[in-house]
């Protein structure tokens, strides 16, 4: 769940300063002898940075025996910065990152196993499905605290004009119904008259394809009994990818031009009425709210569900944002206590609101301030209750497979350059060769 890189202004300056601070050394003891722990935060939105800093200040007031120093980082380069700091023995004590990074850093011996460090209260407030996102090889290397499902951002006016009723979280569209709706909303004509029922921003095609394959009962990456990763592309695994391919190449209900876009790139077309719907991560609601033209009527809808899939086809994969402790931290128990503090229910809600995301905590997901019907909050929290670990999590070799094999293969498939058989050969045959090199 690597966040969009939209740091601007003061936040950009803070992130740059944080990158330098990240390499300057880990927590230290002041002249008074009080330990000071460095907390690397990747918060970037103004509301989120404010919330994180306020919680650090509250901790420092309430815990004079252990102080925490806020260090601003950036999603743009956090992986490389952390790797450098780990190898140089200068890593932050408490690390904000995402689930996909935990596999490499945990197996590399850079992160502390939190299994025995976390208080029972921390483990109790977050459900088992979320803990599965940070546990592998018998260790627990992060506390999942923020997550976001993919939802449909829809132009309510265009749907109403077409007489299309809106689904809700209790009864989402099926993927077949969604295909029918997008055809109905689309019409050719060229120029300003051209409209598509949906646009698929696929600048990161692998994570979208893996995570949404779960809605049709697939997962593409399968764990084996001996701890390896096996790539498959059977009917359930390819159903979502084939749907996107049909919409782009056959139905004409989705434009090929959007495939290389990020979510932010597609928003101008959404505001202009060129795309009736956009499947986006939940946090894009903030950008839409801030940038949409006056009187633009938008609504957040649940993602369609697959027929015959587990959890009624509502399950999506996700790589959550996580909080970890460096293996080299000299005060691991205190660092774990600070993570417990950050993930207490009211604090989780505070952080989720600042990032326009969903908290992992069971009680936090039901907090009245984020289950309101305004701005799509209630829909987002309902969909978030069905999130499960992304098939990518805990898979050693995933970055290489994703970059060298899956990304180019999926780009070729979605654009129509190769067919399903060629896609299967590239993902499965070539992919299994990559993963076989990472056998434990």
């Amino acid at each position: 769940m690597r966040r969009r890189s939209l740091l601007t202004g003061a936040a950009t300056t803070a992130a740059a300063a944080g990158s330098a601070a990240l390499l300057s050394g880990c927590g230290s003891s002041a002249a008074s002898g009080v330990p000071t722990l460095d907390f690397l935060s990747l918060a970037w939105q103004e509301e989120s940075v404010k919330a994180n800093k306020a919680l650090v200040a509250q901790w420092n007031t309430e815990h004079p025996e252990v102080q925490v120093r806020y260090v601003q980082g950036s999603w743009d380069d956090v992986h490389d910065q952390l790797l450098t700091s780990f190898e140089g023995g200068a890593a932050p004590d408490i690390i904000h990152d995402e689930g996909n990074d935990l596999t490499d850093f945990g197996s590399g011996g850079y992160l502390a196993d939190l299994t025995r460090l976390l208080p029972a209260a921390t483990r109790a407030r977050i459900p088992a499905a979320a803990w599965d996102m940070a546990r592998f090889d018998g260790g627990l290397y992060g506390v999942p605290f923020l997550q976001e499902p993919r939802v449909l951002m829809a132009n309510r006016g265009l749907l109403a004009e077409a007489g299309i009723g809106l689904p809700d979280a209790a009864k989402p569209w099926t993927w077949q119904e969604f295909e029918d709706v997008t055809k109905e909303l689309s019409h050719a004509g060229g120029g300003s008259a051209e409209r598509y029922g949906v646009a698929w921003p696929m600048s990161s095609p692998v994570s979208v394809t893996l995570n949404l394959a779960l809605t049709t009962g697939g997962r593409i990456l399968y764990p084996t009994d001996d701890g390896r990763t096996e790539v498959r592309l059977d009917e359930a695994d390819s159903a979502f990818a084939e749907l996107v391919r049909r919409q782009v190449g056959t139905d004409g209900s989705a434009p090929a031009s959007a495939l290389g876009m990020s979510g932010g790139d597609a928003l101008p077309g959404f505001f202009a009425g060129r795309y009736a719907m956009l499947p986006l991560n939940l946090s894009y609601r903030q950008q839409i709210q801030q940038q949409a033209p006056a009187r633009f009527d938008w609504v957040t809808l649940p993602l369609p569900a697959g027929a015959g899939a587990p959890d009624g086809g509502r399950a999506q994969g996700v790589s959550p944002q996580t909080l970890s402790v460096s293996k080299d931290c000299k005060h691991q128990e205190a660092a774990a206590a600070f993570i417990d503090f950050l993930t207490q229910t009211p604090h989780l809600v505070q952080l989720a609101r600042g990032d326009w995301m969903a908290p992992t905590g069971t009680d936090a997901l039901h907090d009245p301030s984020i289950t309101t019907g305004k701005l799509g909050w209630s829909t987002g929290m309902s969909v978030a209750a069905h999130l499960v670990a992304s098939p990518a999590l805990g898979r050693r070799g995933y970055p290489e497979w994703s970059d060298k094999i899956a990304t180019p293969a999926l780009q070729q498939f979605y654009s129509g350059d190769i067919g399903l058989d060629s896609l299967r050969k590239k993902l499965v045959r070539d992919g299994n060769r990559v993963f076989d090199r990472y056998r434990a």
Side-chain angles (χ1 to χ4, degrees):
M1 186 179 295
R2 183 66 48 81
R3 293 300 305 277
R4 306 187 304 282
S5 300
L6 297 175
L7 289 168
T8 57
T12 305
T13 302
S19 295
L22 175 57
L23 299 178
S24 66
C26 48
S28 58
S29 295
S32 63
V34 175
T36 299
L37 304 178
D38 283 342
F39 166 42
L40 173 69
S41 171
L42 301 180
W44 62 274
Q45 300 191 80
E46 183 178 354
E47 296 172 67
S48 182
V49 172
K50 184 178 179 180
N52 276 270
K53 288 184 174 180
L55 289 172
V56 169
Q58 181 180 338
W59 166 275
N60 287 337
T61 299
E62 297 175 0
H63 299 83
E65 74 284 358
V66 178
Q67 297 289 278
V68 172
R69 178 168 49 223
Y70 182 93
V71 178
Q72 183 67 61
S74 168
W75 287 107
D76 289 342
D77 54 9
V78 65
H79 182 92
D80 292 341
Q81 290 280 2
L82 281 173
L83 186 59
T84 300
S85 65
F86 283 136
E87 293 180 346
D93 300 282
I94 303 149
I95 299 165
H96 176 190
D97 201 359
E98 66 158 335
N100 278 335
D101 266 352
L102 298 186
T103 306
D104 286 346
F105 290 151
S107 61
Y110 298 125
L111 300 177
D113 183 353
L114 300 177
T115 304
R116 293 180 176 81
L117 289 172
L118 291 174
T122 314
R123 298 194 298 270
R125 73 174 67 102
I126 297 173
W131 287 118
D132 288 343
M133 302 175 191
R135 183 183 289 113
F136 61 92
D137 292 342
L140 179 66
Y141 296 100
V143 175
F145 73 112
L146 292 179
Q147 57 188 346
E148 57 179 334
R150 192 161 287 254
V151 293
L152 290 176
M153 305 299 182
N155 183 323
R156 187 176 356 222
L158 292 181
L159 270 66
E161 181 182 301
I164 296 170
L166 301 182
D168 57 30
K171 188 172 174 53
W173 285 323
T174 65
W175 281 115
Q176 182 59 62
E177 289 171 334
F178 173 70
E179 282 195 81
D180 294 340
V181 165
T182 57
K183 290 178 189 177
E184 189 174 348
L185 288 167
S186 303
H187 59 76
S192 60
E194 190 171 60
R195 187 176 73 207
Y196 297 91
V198 66
W200 285 100
M202 285 283 189
S203 59
S204 300
V206 182
S207 62
V208 177
T209 306
L210 287 181
N211 291 333
L212 298 193
L214 292 171
T215 68
T216 60
R219 58 178 297 120
I220 302 177
L221 301 183
Y222 291 83
T224 63
D225 292 339
D226 60 358
R228 295 185 300 109
T229 298
E230 181 182 0
V231 189
R232 303 179 202 161
L233 198 67
D234 297 328
E235 183 177 354
D237 303 301
S238 65
F240 166 75
E242 291 182 81
L243 177 146
V244 175
R245 167 71 174 260
R246 283 195 302 273
Q247 291 186 313
V248 173
T250 304
D251 302 339
S253 58
S257 58
L259 292 173
M261 294 182 181
S262 67
D265 295 334
L267 288 181
F270 180 55
F271 297 149
R274 181 172 169 80
Y275 319 130
M277 292 183 285
L278 283 177
L280 295 174
N281 284 344
L282 183 67
S283 61
Y284 272 95
R285 294 171 302 129
Q286 186 197 38
Q287 198 172 347
I288 294 173
Q289 175 68 8
Q290 292 177 342
Q291 298 178 7
R295 295 182 295 279
F296 180 78
D297 190 11
W298 61 281
V299 62
T300 302
L301 304 176
L303 199 75
D311 196 14
R314 290 174 171 83
Q316 298 180 36
V318 68
S319 175
Q321 293 190 20
T322 58
L323 296 166
S324 301
V325 175
S326 170
K327 185 71 172 292
D328 289 340
C329 175
K330 295 181 175 63
H331 307 280
Q332 293 185 2
E333 292 80 5
F338 177 71
I339 292 176
D340 171 68
F341 170 81
L342 283 184
T343 56
Q344 290 172 12
T345 295
H347 301 160
L348 271 181
V349 173
Q350 188 175 347
L351 294 172
R353 285 181 59 83
D355 251 333
W356 289 64
M357 295 175 69
T360 55
T362 303
D363 291 341
L365 271 174
H366 296 91
D367 188 275
S369 70
I370 55 174
T371 52
T372 173
K374 296 180 180 179
L375 300 174
W377 278 106
S378 59
T379 297
M381 297 311 105
S382 295
V383 177
H386 298 276
L387 295 177
V388 297
S390 169
L393 295 178
R395 304 292 99 210
R396 293 189 63 202
Y398 170 74
E400 181 181 349
W401 175 78
S402 176
D403 292 345
K404 295 181 178 179
I405 305 295
T407 293
L410 286 168
Q411 288 173 336
Q412 290 174 320
F413 177 75
Y414 286 133
S415 64
D417 292 339
I418 63 172
L420 184 61
D421 287 342
S422 293
L423 176 67
R424 181 175 291 111
K425 183 180 295 184
K426 291 174 182 291
L427 292 185
V428 177
R429 185 196 64 185
D430 298 346
N432 280 325
R433 289 173 179 169
V434 170
F435 282 113
D436 281 347
R437 293 203 302 272
Y438 289 84
R439 287 190 183 189

